[in-house]
Amino acid sequence: MTAPDPLSREGAVSHLRRHPEIELSEETGPGTVALLIENTLDEASLTRIRRISRRQGARAVLVVGSIRESELLEVVECGVGAIVWQHQATAPRLVQAVLAASRGDGDLPADLLGRLISQVGTLQRGAAGRAGTPALGLAAREVDVLRLVSEGFDTGEIAAKLSYSERTVKNVIHGLTTRLHLRNRAHAVAYALREGYI
């Protein structure tokens, strides 16, 4: 966990410690969730996010006071799957974000999801006219699953809507994130939006 001050760090630890489904540790690596608390993002914090998610393989939850348009897509591409506004960082909200990240689910505030979709749409429209833009080749069921992920449905809800098992939904998401070298569900949705699939 990183935080700009001891009070923020101790507050987050105190909130999370009360939940037995969350095991607190100072170690980060594959299969762990790193909680990063930042007032604003700067190059040092972006470097920390990249190091934690890319080199150490941890999933990241970002609690942030503000985020610029230019930083939003970058943090998602770096592997941040859950973002919580500082002013909304209650104990239940932190727990929800950490558990979502541990499952590989995305968890973004609605206003950020709208901004992300708009930003990716702009990038996709710009790339659509370029010659040689590679096609993803997503299967219809991958597109169906990603569309429901982008609408905020969890694995069980997606399985029910598509008449799949939860295991099938997880396998579809795992298969496409592995094949396309994507970090998590949020990154997969951003990628599919950028390529015009959803």
Side-chain angles (χ1 to χ4, degrees):
M1 178 182 308
T2 64
D5 58 81
L7 186 59
S8 296
R9 178 183 172 78
E10 289 305 314
V13 167
S14 174
H15 284 318
L16 296 174
R17 186 177 286 137
R18 297 180 199 146
H19 297 274
E21 67 272 29
I22 297 175
E23 180 182 331
L24 297 178
S25 172
E26 292 297 321
E27 301 297 317
T28 56
T32 64
V33 175
L35 179 62
L36 302 123
I37 303 170
E38 303 286 346
N39 295 321
T40 59
L41 296 177
D42 57 17
E43 194 51 46
S45 56
L46 290 171
T47 300
R48 265 192 307 279
I49 292 169
R50 284 186 211 100
R51 178 179 39 81
I52 286 168
S53 62
R54 290 182 181 165
R55 287 190 222 134
Q56 297 175 359
R59 294 180 172 142
V61 173
L62 176 63
V63 177
V64 67
S66 66
I67 188 167
R68 294 188 300 261
E69 295 290 328
S70 60
E71 298 163 336
L72 181 56
L73 188 58
E74 185 172 357
V75 298
V76 170
E77 288 181 340
C78 284
V80 172
I83 299 175
V84 177
W85 290 121
Q86 275 183 338
H87 68 275
Q88 296 175 342
T90 61
R93 185 67 187 94
L94 282 178
V95 169
Q96 175 187 331
V98 168
L99 293 177
S102 73
R103 294 186 307 263
D105 293 344
D107 187 354
L108 302 175
D111 61 323
L112 280 186
L113 185 57
R115 285 168 53 188
L116 180 63
I117 289 170
S118 174
Q119 189 175 11
V120 171
T122 301
L123 291 172
Q124 191 277 327
R125 285 187 296 279
R130 282 189 243 144
T133 303
L136 282 179
L138 291 180
R141 81 190 220 168
E142 291 173 329
V143 173
D144 291 341
V145 168
L146 286 177
R147 184 172 290 115
L148 292 172
V149 169
S150 75
E151 292 173 10
F153 293 103
D154 66 22
T155 302
E157 293 167 325
I158 293 168
K161 285 190 174 293
L162 297 177
S163 299
Y164 295 156
S165 69
E166 287 190 32
R167 182 179 206 93
T168 298
V169 172
K170 289 178 183 179
N171 286 341
V172 166
I173 293 170
H174 177 74
L176 75 92
T177 55
T178 301
R179 187 177 82 243
L180 300 173
H181 308 290
L182 303 170
R183 295 182 190 352
N184 53 41
R185 290 176 181 216
H187 193 193
V189 168
Y191 204 94
L193 283 166
R194 183 171 41 229
E195 294 298 324
Y197 280 91
I198 57 175

